[in-house]
Amino acid sequence: MTRTLCIFEDKKVRNFYPLSLTRPVYELRCGISTLWEKISRISEENLHLLCRNYLSRVISQRIKKARVNQLQDLKDEDTLFVNGRLLLLDEEIALEGDEEIAVQEQEIVYARLNKDTLEKLSFESAEKIEETLAQAKQMVKVEEVEVNLLEYPWDLIRLNGEAIKVDFRLKRKSSIEGRVDKGAYLINLSQIYIGKGTRIEPGVVLNAEEGPIYIGEEAKARPPTVIDGPSYIGKETIIDGAKIRGGCSVGPVCRIAGEIEESIFYAYSNKHHDGFVGHSYVGEWVNLAALTTTSDLKNTYGKVKVHLSVGAIDTGEIKVGSFIGDHTKTGIGTLLNTGCVIGVACNIFGGGTTPKFIPSFSWGGEVGFVENKLDKVIEAARLVMERRGVKQTEADRDLLKKVYELTTEERRKEK
């Protein structure tokens, strides 16, 4: 029987809030694909996913080929456990082989364990799988490895360009399957892929001199768009007269205009007007109104500190933009501070510069914030999703309710 592949979350998921409030850390995007999709190259059969319990229904809904939080099944199978914070690039992890646990600075990267060993471990819950695997350190060989085990959300931005290059090479696609109109300019054609049903209109420039450009199916690029590689544009996305600098990933069904640089838009998000977004991660179902602009560089050129739920963290980087949770909306002329963190389901308006940390379910702007009411958030989310042909499910509603509960304390602290 083939060994099972199990992707798990560890205690550092909190470092990725608010992005990981609404999804497991391994469902975050970096490059062309998500972290779990990269890890699943190890084996596409018999996939298990472990996550926080409140996320299990939504993940079962999104990733139908996987078994989610079925702990008892794992005790009966030889299993390779892989940390969901792993950004798997060129490295290879063997599914089969001798039992071993690989660690980086004492954190478990992966654990290849046989059924006999697993039967000796106590499986309390999916949320405590890290402690379960730690028990096996006394039973099997432990090996020190050096990999990209992500620590904070800005790591996704820092490594995004490299991830696009590796993903492009592994996909082995460099062809024009869509329509390129006369008057569009494609530079370094061997590093460009354009999917079926996609149209590149006259006056668009795709420049792959510095890295590959991958454009998915049924997308559209309208003039005067310039896309520099390495970049990824997801299926059914419209790029409407935008400047897309290298190191950008735009997930499926987004609307992008203005200028973006070294940024990730997860999916179903809009920035359809002028304004600059740099070195930022934008979640799902986000709308950035006209002239919304991020600062990604301090006037002093100093290192940027970011205020996460775990505290203020020195990023060690001089360029850090914003991290924006799902279902958040900004009004016209919103200016986002360097290293700004905006939670899930926020509504920001009135223009001006925002605080560096805005709790989930906040409503307001420069003059202050109140709570964004849960029932209004759920109804607005339903309407927005419906506009893109997506039906809001009970699991979607329950997820927003749970995130509302989980973030109550952070709203109180900011008052």
Side-chain angles (χ1 to χ4, degrees):
M1 181 177 177
T2 303
R3 189 183 296 271
T4 293
L5 172 63
C6 177
I7 306 173
F8 68 92
E9 294 188 296
D10 66 10
K11 62 180 178 293
K12 287 197 171 177
V13 294
R14 287 180 57 86
N15 290 5
F16 293 83
Y17 285 2
L19 305 175
S20 60
L21 271 169
T22 46
R23 59 182 52 80
V25 69
Y26 50 72
E27 213 196 0
L28 292 170
R29 182 180 308 284
C30 187
I32 292 176
S33 56
T34 60
L35 300 180
W36 81 263
E37 288 171 319
K38 296 183 202 317
I39 295 170
S40 69
R41 294 198 307 260
I42 297 170
S43 174
E44 296 188 0
E45 298 180 8
N46 208 12
L47 176 65
H48 274 262
L49 299 174
L50 298 182
C51 62
R52 286 153 284 163
N53 288 329
Y54 77 89
L55 293 170
S56 61
R57 284 175 64 207
V58 170
I59 294 309
S60 297
Q61 180 178 287
R62 293 176 187 168
I63 308 174
K64 299 187 185 302
K65 68 178 183 179
R67 287 182 279 177
V68 180
N69 282 5
Q70 297 184 24
L71 280 174
Q72 291 308 309
D73 290 355
L74 290 172
K75 295 194 76 168
D76 299 327
E77 302 170 4
D78 295 347
T79 303
L80 173 66
F81 296 87
V82 180
N83 193 321
R85 291 190 291 116
L86 176 64
L87 174 61
L88 194 63
L89 296 176
D90 286 317
E91 309 91 346
E92 292 186 3
I93 299 175
L95 182 67
E96 304 296 344
D98 295 337
E99 287 190 293
E100 68 174 359
I101 293 178
V103 298
Q104 181 168 279
E105 296 180 356
Q106 300 306 309
E107 295 179 334
I108 295 174
V109 177
Y110 66 84
R112 188 186 301 108
L113 303 174
N114 294 337
K115 182 173 66 172
D116 292 345
T117 300
L118 292 172
E119 287 176 346
K120 299 172 186 175
L121 307 180
S122 56
F123 283 76
E124 186 175 339
S125 71
E127 297 179 6
K128 294 187 176 181
I129 189 63
E130 192 176 9
E131 290 91 330
T132 297
L133 297 178
Q135 298 169 28
K137 285 184 178 179
Q138 309 303 317
M139 307 176 192
V140 302
K141 178 181 71 174
V142 177
E143 179 185 6
E144 187 78 28
V145 296
E146 188 173 338
V147 294
N148 291 308
L149 195 60
L150 305 176
E151 287 280 320
Y152 296 105
W154 46 89
D155 293 333
L156 294 158
I157 302 301
R158 177 174 54 85
L159 293 164
N160 196 52
E162 183 181 355
I164 293 171
K165 292 177 182 179
V166 173
D167 287 347
F168 187 90
R169 186 168 67 249
L170 293 174
K171 281 183 175 291
R172 297 182 178 87
K173 286 184 176 180
S174 56
S175 59
I176 310 302
E177 298 179 13
R179 169 180 166 184
V180 178
D181 291 343
K182 185 177 180 181
Y185 295 90
L186 277 58
I187 303 169
N188 198 13
L189 197 58
S190 68
Q191 289 292 291
I192 296 175
Y193 172 76
I194 299 173
K196 291 179 181 178
T198 287
R199 182 181 177 188
I200 310 299
E201 295 185 1
V204 172
V205 177
L206 306 183
N207 185 354
E209 288 183 311
E210 300 297 326
I213 297 172
Y214 187 104
I215 303 179
E217 298 175 351
E218 303 294 335
K220 182 183 290 186
R222 304 187 66 245
T225 288
V226 177
I227 301 177
D228 294 329
S231 284
Y232 161 67
I233 310 298
K235 67 179 182 178
E236 298 181 42
T237 285
I238 297 174
I239 307 298
D240 204 350
K243 298 175 184 176
I244 299 191
R245 307 305 186 192
C248 288
S249 289
V250 180
V253 203
C254 291
R255 307 287 184 267
I256 302 294
E259 182 178 4
I260 64 174
E261 177 183 16
E262 292 195 44
S263 293
I264 298 171
F265 283 70
Y266 188 81
Y268 292 99
S269 289
N270 294 339
K271 182 201 169 301
H272 211 166
H273 302 280
D274 285 343
F276 171 72
V277 171
H279 295 84
S280 298
Y281 198 116
V282 179
E284 194 171 27
W285 304 110
V286 172
N287 188 73
L288 303 180
L291 302 179
T292 294
T293 293
T294 66
S295 169
D296 63 0
L297 179 68
K298 295 167 69 173
N299 287 350
T300 62
Y301 287 72
K303 302 293 176 62
V304 179
K305 283 188 177 180
V306 174
H307 295 266
L308 298 175
S309 63
V310 294
I313 306 295
D314 187 344
T315 67
E317 306 280 344
I318 66 168
K319 282 202 167 186
V320 180
S322 296
F323 304 95
I324 303 175
D326 293 1
H327 294 286
T328 279
K329 313 288 186 285
T330 67
I332 293 171
T334 301
L335 304 178
L336 304 180
N337 247 312
T338 315
C340 182
V341 175
I342 305 175
V344 173
C346 293
N347 194 324
I348 304 164
F349 52 86
T353 304
T354 62
K356 291 198 68 169
F357 180 82
I358 301 175
S360 295
F361 291 85
S362 293
W363 170 288
E366 195 172 25
V367 297
F369 290 88
V370 295
E371 186 173 276
N372 198 4
K373 300 300 184 185
L374 176 62
D375 58 342
K376 294 184 186 249
V377 167
I378 291 173
E379 176 60 14
R382 183 189 68 79
L383 292 171
V384 169
M385 294 168 78
E386 195 174 79
R387 282 166 55 86
R388 293 287 177 259
V390 178
K391 184 177 180 180
Q392 186 187 67
T393 67
E394 183 181 1
D396 295 326
R397 293 188 289 273
D398 287 346
L399 175 59
L400 286 171
K401 292 174 184 177
K402 183 63 178 180
V403 173
Y404 174 82
E405 293 173 10
L406 290 172
T407 56
T408 298
E409 188 60 32
E410 70 180 34
R411 286 190 294 280
R412 288 176 182 159
K413 286 181 180 177
E414 292 298 313
K415 284 186 177 180

mmCIF file of all heavy atoms in Angstrom, residues 326-348:
data_model
loop_
_atom_site.group_PDB
_atom_site.id
_atom_site.type_symbol
_atom_site.label_atom_id
_atom_site.label_comp_id
_atom_site.label_asym_id
_atom_site.label_seq_id
_atom_site.Cartn_x
_atom_site.Cartn_y
_atom_site.Cartn_z
ATOM 1 N N ASP A 326 -9.531 38.575 4.249
ATOM 2 C CA ASP A 326 -10.662 38.334 3.344
ATOM 3 C C ASP A 326 -11.840 39.268 3.632
ATOM 4 O O ASP A 326 -12.071 39.665 4.775
ATOM 5 C CB ASP A 326 -11.151 36.888 3.480
ATOM 6 C CG ASP A 326 -10.147 35.865 2.975
ATOM 7 O OD1 ASP A 326 -9.060 36.260 2.533
ATOM 8 O OD2 ASP A 326 -10.466 34.659 3.037
ATOM 9 N N HIS A 327 -12.588 39.567 2.586
ATOM 10 C CA HIS A 327 -13.855 40.318 2.674
ATOM 11 C C HIS A 327 -13.676 41.745 3.174
ATOM 12 O O HIS A 327 -14.662 42.374 3.605
ATOM 13 C CB HIS A 327 -14.866 39.578 3.561
ATOM 14 C CG HIS A 327 -15.326 38.275 2.995
ATOM 15 N ND1 HIS A 327 -16.204 38.185 1.932
ATOM 16 C CD2 HIS A 327 -15.008 36.989 3.324
ATOM 17 C CE1 HIS A 327 -16.422 36.914 1.651
ATOM 18 N NE2 HIS A 327 -15.699 36.170 2.474
ATOM 19 N N THR A 328 -12.494 42.292 3.099
ATOM 20 C CA THR A 328 -12.272 43.680 3.508
ATOM 21 C C THR A 328 -12.471 44.617 2.320
ATOM 22 O O THR A 328 -12.156 44.268 1.179
ATOM 23 C CB THR A 328 -10.879 43.836 4.133
ATOM 24 O OG1 THR A 328 -10.939 43.395 5.503
ATOM 25 C CG2 THR A 328 -10.381 45.260 4.115
ATOM 26 N N LYS A 329 -12.977 45.827 2.593
ATOM 27 C CA LYS A 329 -13.235 46.822 1.555
ATOM 28 C C LYS A 329 -12.612 48.155 1.979
ATOM 29 O O LYS A 329 -12.655 48.523 3.159
ATOM 30 C CB LYS A 329 -14.747 47.026 1.354
ATOM 31 C CG LYS A 329 -15.560 45.738 1.232
ATOM 32 C CD LYS A 329 -15.325 45.033 -0.079
ATOM 33 C CE LYS A 329 -16.248 43.825 -0.252
ATOM 34 N NZ LYS A 329 -15.849 42.655 0.558
ATOM 35 N N THR A 330 -12.036 48.868 1.008
ATOM 36 C CA THR A 330 -11.548 50.219 1.277
ATOM 37 C C THR A 330 -12.336 51.225 0.444
ATOM 38 O O THR A 330 -12.828 50.903 -0.636
ATOM 39 C CB THR A 330 -10.048 50.375 0.939
ATOM 40 O OG1 THR A 330 -9.861 50.256 -0.486
ATOM 41 C CG2 THR A 330 -9.209 49.354 1.663
ATOM 42 N N GLY A 331 -12.453 52.451 0.961
ATOM 43 C CA GLY A 331 -13.114 53.521 0.238
ATOM 44 C C GLY A 331 -12.123 54.307 -0.608
ATOM 45 O O GLY A 331 -10.905 54.084 -0.567
ATOM 46 N N ILE A 332 -12.643 55.260 -1.366
ATOM 47 C CA ILE A 332 -11.831 56.078 -2.269
ATOM 48 C C ILE A 332 -10.757 56.826 -1.481
ATOM 49 O O ILE A 332 -11.018 57.395 -0.421
ATOM 50 C CB ILE A 332 -12.728 57.075 -3.022
ATOM 51 C CG1 ILE A 332 -13.663 56.322 -3.985
ATOM 52 C CG2 ILE A 332 -11.905 58.098 -3.786
ATOM 53 C CD1 ILE A 332 -14.719 57.186 -4.617
ATOM 54 N N GLY A 333 -9.538 56.780 -2.017
ATOM 55 C CA GLY A 333 -8.451 57.562 -1.447
ATOM 56 C C GLY A 333 -7.877 57.032 -0.155
ATOM 57 O O GLY A 333 -7.200 57.767 0.574
ATOM 58 N N THR A 334 -8.083 55.756 0.146
ATOM 59 C CA THR A 334 -7.532 55.171 1.373
ATOM 60 C C THR A 334 -6.017 55.025 1.243
ATOM 61 O O THR A 334 -5.519 54.490 0.251
ATOM 62 C CB THR A 334 -8.158 53.803 1.654
ATOM 63 O OG1 THR A 334 -9.574 53.955 1.789
ATOM 64 C CG2 THR A 334 -7.600 53.202 2.933
ATOM 65 N N LEU A 335 -5.286 55.476 2.251
ATOM 66 C CA LEU A 335 -3.829 55.406 2.262
ATOM 67 C C LEU A 335 -3.396 54.468 3.378
ATOM 68 O O LEU A 335 -3.713 54.696 4.554
ATOM 69 C CB LEU A 335 -3.227 56.802 2.484
ATOM 70 C CG LEU A 335 -3.670 57.883 1.487
ATOM 71 C CD1 LEU A 335 -3.054 59.227 1.852
ATOM 72 C CD2 LEU A 335 -3.293 57.494 0.057
ATOM 73 N N LEU A 336 -2.693 53.405 3.005
ATOM 74 C CA LEU A 336 -2.314 52.366 3.954
ATOM 75 C C LEU A 336 -0.853 52.540 4.359
ATOM 76 O O LEU A 336 0.037 52.605 3.514
ATOM 77 C CB LEU A 336 -2.541 50.983 3.339
ATOM 78 C CG LEU A 336 -3.964 50.708 2.838
ATOM 79 C CD1 LEU A 336 -4.062 49.310 2.243
ATOM 80 C CD2 LEU A 336 -4.968 50.874 3.960
ATOM 81 N N ASN A 337 -0.631 52.561 5.657
ATOM 82 C CA ASN A 337 0.696 52.758 6.226
ATOM 83 C C ASN A 337 1.667 51.643 5.845
ATOM 84 O O ASN A 337 1.251 50.517 5.547
ATOM 85 C CB ASN A 337 0.592 52.797 7.745
ATOM 86 C CG ASN A 337 0.929 54.172 8.300
ATOM 87 O OD1 ASN A 337 1.934 54.757 7.924
ATOM 88 N ND2 ASN A 337 0.081 54.677 9.180
ATOM 89 N N THR A 338 2.953 51.932 5.907
ATOM 90 C CA THR A 338 3.976 50.905 5.725
ATOM 91 C C THR A 338 3.786 49.799 6.765
ATOM 92 O O THR A 338 3.641 50.076 7.958
ATOM 93 C CB THR A 338 5.379 51.513 5.901
ATOM 94 O OG1 THR A 338 5.447 52.741 5.184
ATOM 95 C CG2 THR A 338 6.453 50.563 5.392
ATOM 96 N N GLY A 339 3.748 48.548 6.297
ATOM 97 C CA GLY A 339 3.589 47.430 7.217
ATOM 98 C C GLY A 339 2.223 47.371 7.859
ATOM 99 O O GLY A 339 2.076 46.910 8.996
ATOM 100 N N CYS A 340 1.177 47.790 7.139
ATOM 101 C CA CYS A 340 -0.184 47.836 7.679
ATOM 102 C C CYS A 340 -0.817 46.444 7.670
ATOM 103 O O CYS A 340 -0.669 45.683 6.714
ATOM 104 C CB CYS A 340 -1.016 48.790 6.828
ATOM 105 S SG CYS A 340 -2.701 49.016 7.391
ATOM 106 N N VAL A 341 -1.525 46.112 8.748
ATOM 107 C CA VAL A 341 -2.254 44.854 8.853
ATOM 108 C C VAL A 341 -3.739 45.169 9.035
ATOM 109 O O VAL A 341 -4.121 45.864 9.976
ATOM 110 C CB VAL A 341 -1.752 44.007 10.039
ATOM 111 C CG1 VAL A 341 -2.607 42.752 10.208
ATOM 112 C CG2 VAL A 341 -0.288 43.618 9.830
ATOM 113 N N ILE A 342 -4.568 44.657 8.120
ATOM 114 C CA ILE A 342 -6.013 44.881 8.169
ATOM 115 C C ILE A 342 -6.683 43.523 8.253
ATOM 116 O O ILE A 342 -6.440 42.633 7.436
ATOM 117 C CB ILE A 342 -6.508 45.632 6.923
ATOM 118 C CG1 ILE A 342 -5.736 46.948 6.757
ATOM 119 C CG2 ILE A 342 -8.006 45.903 7.024
ATOM 120 C CD1 ILE A 342 -6.071 47.689 5.484
ATOM 121 N N GLY A 343 -7.546 43.353 9.233
ATOM 122 C CA GLY A 343 -8.153 42.060 9.489
ATOM 123 C C GLY A 343 -9.217 41.663 8.493
ATOM 124 O O GLY A 343 -9.401 42.277 7.435
ATOM 125 N N VAL A 344 -9.952 40.616 8.831
ATOM 126 C CA VAL A 344 -11.025 40.076 8.007
ATOM 127 C C VAL A 344 -12.256 40.974 8.132
ATOM 128 O O VAL A 344 -12.564 41.490 9.209
ATOM 129 C CB VAL A 344 -11.370 38.644 8.472
ATOM 130 C CG1 VAL A 344 -12.604 38.105 7.744
ATOM 131 C CG2 VAL A 344 -10.169 37.727 8.273
ATOM 132 N N ALA A 345 -12.967 41.184 7.010
ATOM 133 C CA ALA A 345 -14.285 41.842 6.999
ATOM 134 C C ALA A 345 -14.252 43.248 7.579
ATOM 135 O O ALA A 345 -15.117 43.630 8.371
ATOM 136 C CB ALA A 345 -15.313 40.976 7.720
ATOM 137 N N CYS A 346 -13.245 44.025 7.189
ATOM 138 C CA CYS A 346 -13.192 45.427 7.593
ATOM 139 C C CYS A 346 -13.789 46.308 6.487
ATOM 140 O O CYS A 346 -13.717 45.961 5.312
ATOM 141 C CB CYS A 346 -11.753 45.859 7.868
ATOM 142 S SG CYS A 346 -11.015 45.063 9.304
ATOM 143 N N ASN A 347 -14.338 47.449 6.886
ATOM 144 C CA ASN A 347 -14.853 48.435 5.938
ATOM 145 C C ASN A 347 -14.203 49.763 6.295
ATOM 146 O O ASN A 347 -14.493 50.349 7.337
ATOM 147 C CB ASN A 347 -16.380 48.525 6.036
ATOM 148 C CG ASN A 347 -16.987 49.270 4.865
ATOM 149 O OD1 ASN A 347 -16.410 50.219 4.369
ATOM 150 N ND2 ASN A 347 -18.164 48.838 4.442
ATOM 151 N N ILE A 348 -13.281 50.224 5.421
ATOM 152 C CA ILE A 348 -12.465 51.398 5.705
ATOM 153 C C ILE A 348 -12.835 52.492 4.710
ATOM 154 O O ILE A 348 -12.834 52.250 3.497
ATOM 155 C CB ILE A 348 -10.969 51.061 5.592
ATOM 156 C CG1 ILE A 348 -10.633 49.894 6.532
ATOM 157 C CG2 ILE A 348 -10.105 52.263 5.920
ATOM 158 C CD1 ILE A 348 -9.312 49.243 6.234
#
